[in-house]
PDB file of all heavy atoms in Angstrom:
ATOM      1  N   LEU A   1      94.747 306.710 349.463  1.00  0.00           N
ATOM      2  CA  LEU A   1      95.561 307.172 350.600  1.00  0.00           C
ATOM      3  C   LEU A   1      96.108 305.967 351.385  1.00  0.00           C
ATOM      4  O   LEU A   1      95.390 305.002 351.605  1.00  0.00           O
ATOM      5  CB  LEU A   1      94.717 308.009 351.558  1.00  0.00           C
ATOM      6  CG  LEU A   1      94.470 309.455 351.162  1.00  0.00           C
ATOM      7  CD1 LEU A   1      93.537 310.090 352.175  1.00  0.00           C
ATOM      8  CD2 LEU A   1      95.735 310.237 351.056  1.00  0.00           C
ATOM      9  N   PRO A   2      97.370 306.033 351.792  1.00  0.00           N
ATOM     10  CA  PRO A   2      97.926 304.869 352.546  1.00  0.00           C
ATOM     11  C   PRO A   2      97.580 304.911 354.007  1.00  0.00           C
ATOM     12  O   PRO A   2      98.439 304.837 354.884  1.00  0.00           O
ATOM     13  CB  PRO A   2      99.414 305.044 352.296  1.00  0.00           C
ATOM     14  CG  PRO A   2      99.607 306.494 352.135  1.00  0.00           C
ATOM     15  CD  PRO A   2      98.385 307.004 351.462  1.00  0.00           C
ATOM     16  N   VAL A   3      96.316 305.089 354.337  1.00  0.00           N
ATOM     17  CA  VAL A   3      95.846 305.140 355.721  1.00  0.00           C
ATOM     18  C   VAL A   3      94.898 303.979 355.900  1.00  0.00           C
ATOM     19  O   VAL A   3      93.957 303.792 355.150  1.00  0.00           O
ATOM     20  CB  VAL A   3      95.122 306.484 355.997  1.00  0.00           C
ATOM     21  CG1 VAL A   3      94.599 306.504 357.410  1.00  0.00           C
ATOM     22  CG2 VAL A   3      96.020 307.660 355.751  1.00  0.00           C
ATOM     23  N   ASN A   4      95.128 303.215 356.954  1.00  0.00           N
ATOM     24  CA  ASN A   4      94.267 302.066 357.233  1.00  0.00           C
ATOM     25  C   ASN A   4      93.977 301.984 358.707  1.00  0.00           C
ATOM     26  O   ASN A   4      94.876 301.993 359.551  1.00  0.00           O
ATOM     27  CB  ASN A   4      94.935 300.780 356.764  1.00  0.00           C
ATOM     28  CG  ASN A   4      94.001 299.601 356.838  1.00  0.00           C
ATOM     29  OD1 ASN A   4      92.789 299.758 357.047  1.00  0.00           O
ATOM     30  ND2 ASN A   4      94.543 298.412 356.655  1.00  0.00           N
ATOM     31  N   PHE A   5      92.704 301.966 359.059  1.00  0.00           N
ATOM     32  CA  PHE A   5      92.310 301.858 360.447  1.00  0.00           C
ATOM     33  C   PHE A   5      91.825 300.452 360.783  1.00  0.00           C
ATOM     34  O   PHE A   5      91.267 300.195 361.826  1.00  0.00           O
ATOM     35  CB  PHE A   5      91.208 302.878 360.781  1.00  0.00           C
ATOM     36  CG  PHE A   5      91.716 304.278 360.810  1.00  0.00           C
ATOM     37  CD1 PHE A   5      91.495 305.129 359.746  1.00  0.00           C
ATOM     38  CD2 PHE A   5      92.426 304.735 361.885  1.00  0.00           C
ATOM     39  CE1 PHE A   5      91.994 306.410 359.769  1.00  0.00           C
ATOM     40  CE2 PHE A   5      92.919 306.014 361.943  1.00  0.00           C
ATOM     41  CZ  PHE A   5      92.687 306.867 360.871  1.00  0.00           C
ATOM     42  N   GLY A   6      92.030 299.505 359.875  1.00  0.00           N
ATOM     43  CA  GLY A   6      91.745 298.120 360.150  1.00  0.00           C
ATOM     44  C   GLY A   6      90.324 297.696 359.918  1.00  0.00           C
ATOM     45  O   GLY A   6      89.937 296.587 360.258  1.00  0.00           O
ATOM     46  N   VAL A   7      89.486 298.552 359.318  1.00  0.00           N
ATOM     47  CA  VAL A   7      88.100 298.209 359.108  1.00  0.00           C
ATOM     48  C   VAL A   7      87.803 298.401 357.624  1.00  0.00           C
ATOM     49  O   VAL A   7      88.145 299.398 357.007  1.00  0.00           O
ATOM     50  CB  VAL A   7      87.176 299.146 359.942  1.00  0.00           C
ATOM     51  CG1 VAL A   7      85.726 298.825 359.659  1.00  0.00           C
ATOM     52  CG2 VAL A   7      87.491 299.041 361.406  1.00  0.00           C
ATOM     53  N   ASN A   8      87.170 297.393 356.989  1.00  0.00           N
ATOM     54  CA  ASN A   8      86.822 297.473 355.587  1.00  0.00           C
ATOM     55  C   ASN A   8      85.345 297.773 355.349  1.00  0.00           C
ATOM     56  O   ASN A   8      84.946 298.117 354.247  1.00  0.00           O
ATOM     57  CB  ASN A   8      87.170 296.152 354.869  1.00  0.00           C
ATOM     58  CG  ASN A   8      88.681 295.979 354.794  1.00  0.00           C
ATOM     59  OD1 ASN A   8      89.402 296.952 354.730  1.00  0.00           O
ATOM     60  ND2 ASN A   8      89.114 294.740 354.831  1.00  0.00           N
ATOM     61  N   ASN A   9      84.521 297.654 356.364  1.00  0.00           N
ATOM     62  CA  ASN A   9      83.107 297.923 356.236  1.00  0.00           C
ATOM     63  C   ASN A   9      82.857 299.432 356.353  1.00  0.00           C
ATOM     64  O   ASN A   9      83.330 300.069 357.264  1.00  0.00           O
ATOM     65  CB  ASN A   9      82.351 297.179 357.336  1.00  0.00           C
ATOM     66  CG  ASN A   9      80.863 297.211 357.129  1.00  0.00           C
ATOM     67  OD1 ASN A   9      80.355 297.907 356.270  1.00  0.00           O
ATOM     68  ND2 ASN A   9      80.162 296.439 357.972  1.00  0.00           N
ATOM     69  N   ILE A  10      82.114 299.984 355.425  1.00  0.00           N
ATOM     70  CA  ILE A  10      81.886 301.442 355.380  1.00  0.00           C
ATOM     71  C   ILE A  10      81.077 301.922 356.593  1.00  0.00           C
ATOM     72  O   ILE A  10      81.314 303.027 357.123  1.00  0.00           O
ATOM     73  CB  ILE A  10      81.208 301.876 354.045  1.00  0.00           C
ATOM     74  CG1 ILE A  10      81.186 303.405 353.891  1.00  0.00           C
ATOM     75  CG2 ILE A  10      79.815 301.352 353.943  1.00  0.00           C
ATOM     76  CD1 ILE A  10      82.527 303.974 353.635  1.00  0.00           C
ATOM     77  N   ILE A  11      80.125 301.116 357.067  1.00  0.00           N
ATOM     78  CA  ILE A  11      79.336 301.518 358.223  1.00  0.00           C
ATOM     79  C   ILE A  11      80.189 301.564 359.471  1.00  0.00           C
ATOM     80  O   ILE A  11      80.096 302.487 360.288  1.00  0.00           O
ATOM     81  CB  ILE A  11      78.113 300.598 358.373  1.00  0.00           C
ATOM     82  CG1 ILE A  11      77.212 300.776 357.170  1.00  0.00           C
ATOM     83  CG2 ILE A  11      77.388 300.881 359.656  1.00  0.00           C
ATOM     84  CD1 ILE A  11      76.009 299.906 357.156  1.00  0.00           C
ATOM     85  N   LEU A  12      81.053 300.550 359.646  1.00  0.00           N
ATOM     86  CA  LEU A  12      81.975 300.605 360.802  1.00  0.00           C
ATOM     87  C   LEU A  12      82.946 301.755 360.708  1.00  0.00           C
ATOM     88  O   LEU A  12      83.275 302.372 361.722  1.00  0.00           O
ATOM     89  CB  LEU A  12      82.722 299.256 360.903  1.00  0.00           C
ATOM     90  CG  LEU A  12      81.904 298.067 361.370  1.00  0.00           C
ATOM     91  CD1 LEU A  12      82.766 296.839 361.332  1.00  0.00           C
ATOM     92  CD2 LEU A  12      81.378 298.314 362.746  1.00  0.00           C
ATOM     93  N   LYS A  13      83.394 302.080 359.492  1.00  0.00           N
ATOM     94  CA  LYS A  13      84.256 303.260 359.314  1.00  0.00           C
ATOM     95  C   LYS A  13      83.540 304.540 359.758  1.00  0.00           C
ATOM     96  O   LYS A  13      84.106 305.376 360.452  1.00  0.00           O
ATOM     97  CB  LYS A  13      84.697 303.408 357.859  1.00  0.00           C
ATOM     98  CG  LYS A  13      85.764 302.469 357.431  1.00  0.00           C
ATOM     99  CD  LYS A  13      86.177 302.761 355.989  1.00  0.00           C
ATOM    100  CE  LYS A  13      87.202 301.769 355.519  1.00  0.00           C
ATOM    101  NZ  LYS A  13      87.604 301.998 354.118  1.00  0.00           N
ATOM    102  N   LEU A  14      82.288 304.676 359.366  1.00  0.00           N
ATOM    103  CA  LEU A  14      81.523 305.851 359.756  1.00  0.00           C
ATOM    104  C   LEU A  14      81.295 305.931 361.269  1.00  0.00           C
ATOM    105  O   LEU A  14      81.355 307.014 361.851  1.00  0.00           O
ATOM    106  CB  LEU A  14      80.197 305.904 358.996  1.00  0.00           C
ATOM    107  CG  LEU A  14      80.294 306.171 357.508  1.00  0.00           C
ATOM    108  CD1 LEU A  14      78.913 306.076 356.857  1.00  0.00           C
ATOM    109  CD2 LEU A  14      80.891 307.521 357.223  1.00  0.00           C
ATOM    110  N   ILE A  15      81.050 304.783 361.880  1.00  0.00           N
ATOM    111  CA  ILE A  15      80.880 304.749 363.330  1.00  0.00           C
ATOM    112  C   ILE A  15      82.160 305.150 364.038  1.00  0.00           C
ATOM    113  O   ILE A  15      82.160 305.950 364.984  1.00  0.00           O
ATOM    114  CB  ILE A  15      80.395 303.375 363.793  1.00  0.00           C
ATOM    115  CG1 ILE A  15      78.953 303.154 363.312  1.00  0.00           C
ATOM    116  CG2 ILE A  15      80.470 303.232 365.305  1.00  0.00           C
ATOM    117  CD1 ILE A  15      78.442 301.744 363.551  1.00  0.00           C
ATOM    118  N   ILE A  16      83.292 304.633 363.569  1.00  0.00           N
ATOM    119  CA  ILE A  16      84.608 304.995 364.148  1.00  0.00           C
ATOM    120  C   ILE A  16      84.905 306.466 363.955  1.00  0.00           C
ATOM    121  O   ILE A  16      85.381 307.152 364.846  1.00  0.00           O
ATOM    122  CB  ILE A  16      85.694 304.077 363.557  1.00  0.00           C
ATOM    123  CG1 ILE A  16      85.567 302.659 364.087  1.00  0.00           C
ATOM    124  CG2 ILE A  16      87.096 304.639 363.911  1.00  0.00           C
ATOM    125  CD1 ILE A  16      86.493 301.674 363.436  1.00  0.00           C
ATOM    126  N   ILE A  17      84.579 306.962 362.766  1.00  0.00           N
ATOM    127  CA  ILE A  17      84.792 308.406 362.488  1.00  0.00           C
ATOM    128  C   ILE A  17      83.955 309.250 363.440  1.00  0.00           C
ATOM    129  O   ILE A  17      84.423 310.247 363.974  1.00  0.00           O
ATOM    130  CB  ILE A  17      84.468 308.733 361.015  1.00  0.00           C
ATOM    131  CG1 ILE A  17      85.513 308.117 360.097  1.00  0.00           C
ATOM    132  CG2 ILE A  17      84.380 310.223 360.775  1.00  0.00           C
ATOM    133  CD1 ILE A  17      85.190 308.183 358.639  1.00  0.00           C
ATOM    134  N   CYS A  18      82.696 308.879 363.647  1.00  0.00           N
ATOM    135  CA  CYS A  18      81.822 309.612 364.581  1.00  0.00           C
ATOM    136  C   CYS A  18      82.336 309.574 365.969  1.00  0.00           C
ATOM    137  O   CYS A  18      82.361 310.614 366.696  1.00  0.00           O
ATOM    138  CB  CYS A  18      80.401 309.101 364.494  1.00  0.00           C
ATOM    139  SG  CYS A  18      79.572 309.464 362.954  1.00  0.00           S
ATOM    140  N   ILE A  19      82.772 308.409 366.417  1.00  0.00           N
ATOM    141  CA  ILE A  19      83.298 308.304 367.792  1.00  0.00           C
ATOM    142  C   ILE A  19      84.559 309.121 367.967  1.00  0.00           C
ATOM    143  O   ILE A  19      84.709 309.859 368.966  1.00  0.00           O
ATOM    144  CB  ILE A  19      83.533 306.801 368.150  1.00  0.00           C
ATOM    145  CG1 ILE A  19      82.208 306.067 368.275  1.00  0.00           C
ATOM    146  CG2 ILE A  19      84.367 306.683 369.438  1.00  0.00           C
ATOM    147  CD1 ILE A  19      82.346 304.581 368.425  1.00  0.00           C
ATOM    148  N   VAL A  20      85.468 309.054 367.013  1.00  0.00           N
ATOM    149  CA  VAL A  20      86.689 309.851 367.086  1.00  0.00           C
ATOM    150  C   VAL A  20      86.386 311.320 367.067  1.00  0.00           C
ATOM    151  O   VAL A  20      86.982 312.107 367.817  1.00  0.00           O
ATOM    152  CB  VAL A  20      87.658 309.461 365.940  1.00  0.00           C
ATOM    153  CG1 VAL A  20      88.784 310.455 365.781  1.00  0.00           C
ATOM    154  CG2 VAL A  20      88.211 308.074 366.149  1.00  0.00           C
ATOM    155  N   ALA A  21      85.440 311.753 366.252  1.00  0.00           N
ATOM    156  CA  ALA A  21      85.054 313.168 366.210  1.00  0.00           C
ATOM    157  C   ALA A  21      84.462 313.631 367.507  1.00  0.00           C
ATOM    158  O   ALA A  21      84.801 314.725 368.011  1.00  0.00           O
ATOM    159  CB  ALA A  21      84.109 313.398 365.070  1.00  0.00           C
ATOM    160  N   ILE A  22      83.607 312.829 368.099  1.00  0.00           N
ATOM    161  CA  ILE A  22      82.964 313.221 369.366  1.00  0.00           C
ATOM    162  C   ILE A  22      83.994 313.301 370.486  1.00  0.00           C
ATOM    163  O   ILE A  22      84.003 314.249 371.275  1.00  0.00           O
ATOM    164  CB  ILE A  22      81.821 312.220 369.720  1.00  0.00           C
ATOM    165  CG1 ILE A  22      80.676 312.421 368.723  1.00  0.00           C
ATOM    166  CG2 ILE A  22      81.334 312.405 371.141  1.00  0.00           C
ATOM    167  CD1 ILE A  22      79.634 311.349 368.797  1.00  0.00           C
ATOM    168  N   VAL A  23      84.848 312.311 370.604  1.00  0.00           N
ATOM    169  CA  VAL A  23      85.884 312.306 371.619  1.00  0.00           C
ATOM    170  C   VAL A  23      86.837 313.485 371.446  1.00  0.00           C
ATOM    171  O   VAL A  23      87.197 314.166 372.400  1.00  0.00           O
ATOM    172  CB  VAL A  23      86.654 310.965 371.639  1.00  0.00           C
ATOM    173  CG1 VAL A  23      87.859 311.039 372.537  1.00  0.00           C
ATOM    174  CG2 VAL A  23      85.722 309.835 372.079  1.00  0.00           C
ATOM    175  N   SER A  24      87.213 313.748 370.222  1.00  0.00           N
ATOM    176  CA  SER A  24      88.107 314.890 369.951  1.00  0.00           C
ATOM    177  C   SER A  24      87.441 316.202 370.318  1.00  0.00           C
ATOM    178  O   SER A  24      88.090 317.090 370.887  1.00  0.00           O
ATOM    179  CB  SER A  24      88.526 314.865 368.487  1.00  0.00           C
ATOM    180  OG  SER A  24      89.310 316.002 368.190  1.00  0.00           O
ATOM    181  N   TYR A  25      86.170 316.340 369.999  1.00  0.00           N
ATOM    182  CA  TYR A  25      85.440 317.592 370.274  1.00  0.00           C
ATOM    183  C   TYR A  25      85.376 317.811 371.789  1.00  0.00           C
ATOM    184  O   TYR A  25      85.649 318.919 372.267  1.00  0.00           O
ATOM    185  CB  TYR A  25      84.062 317.525 369.671  1.00  0.00           C
ATOM    186  CG  TYR A  25      83.169 318.688 370.030  1.00  0.00           C
ATOM    187  CD1 TYR A  25      83.393 319.929 369.499  1.00  0.00           C
ATOM    188  CD2 TYR A  25      82.124 318.528 370.922  1.00  0.00           C
ATOM    189  CE1 TYR A  25      82.606 321.010 369.826  1.00  0.00           C
ATOM    190  CE2 TYR A  25      81.329 319.589 371.256  1.00  0.00           C
ATOM    191  CZ  TYR A  25      81.559 320.837 370.710  1.00  0.00           C
ATOM    192  OH  TYR A  25      80.734 321.883 371.070  1.00  0.00           O
ATOM    193  N   TYR A  26      84.970 316.793 372.541  1.00  0.00           N
ATOM    194  CA  TYR A  26      84.812 317.002 373.991  1.00  0.00           C
ATOM    195  C   TYR A  26      86.173 317.168 374.664  1.00  0.00           C
ATOM    196  O   TYR A  26      86.273 317.917 375.638  1.00  0.00           O
ATOM    197  CB  TYR A  26      84.021 315.860 374.614  1.00  0.00           C
ATOM    198  CG  TYR A  26      82.519 316.015 374.357  1.00  0.00           C
ATOM    199  CD1 TYR A  26      81.832 315.097 373.604  1.00  0.00           C
ATOM    200  CD2 TYR A  26      81.842 317.096 374.896  1.00  0.00           C
ATOM    201  CE1 TYR A  26      80.497 315.276 373.359  1.00  0.00           C
ATOM    202  CE2 TYR A  26      80.501 317.253 374.652  1.00  0.00           C
ATOM    203  CZ  TYR A  26      79.813 316.355 373.899  1.00  0.00           C
ATOM    204  OH  TYR A  26      78.504 316.517 373.656  1.00  0.00           O
TER     205      TYR A  26
END
């Protein structure tokens, strides 16, 4: 997929995904 959030580390990607999900939910 041509989507890049600027992070190559999988753990940082998961942390960013969790933060985005929490902010979006609230």
Side-chain angles (χ1 to χ4, degrees):
L1 281 177
V3 178
N4 189 10
F5 289 101
V7 179
N8 291 330
N9 190 352
I10 190 72
I11 295 179
L12 288 177
K13 282 182 183 179
L14 291 175
I15 291 172
I16 290 173
I17 290 171
C18 290
I19 290 172
V20 166
I22 291 169
V23 170
S24 176
Y25 174 73
Y26 282 115

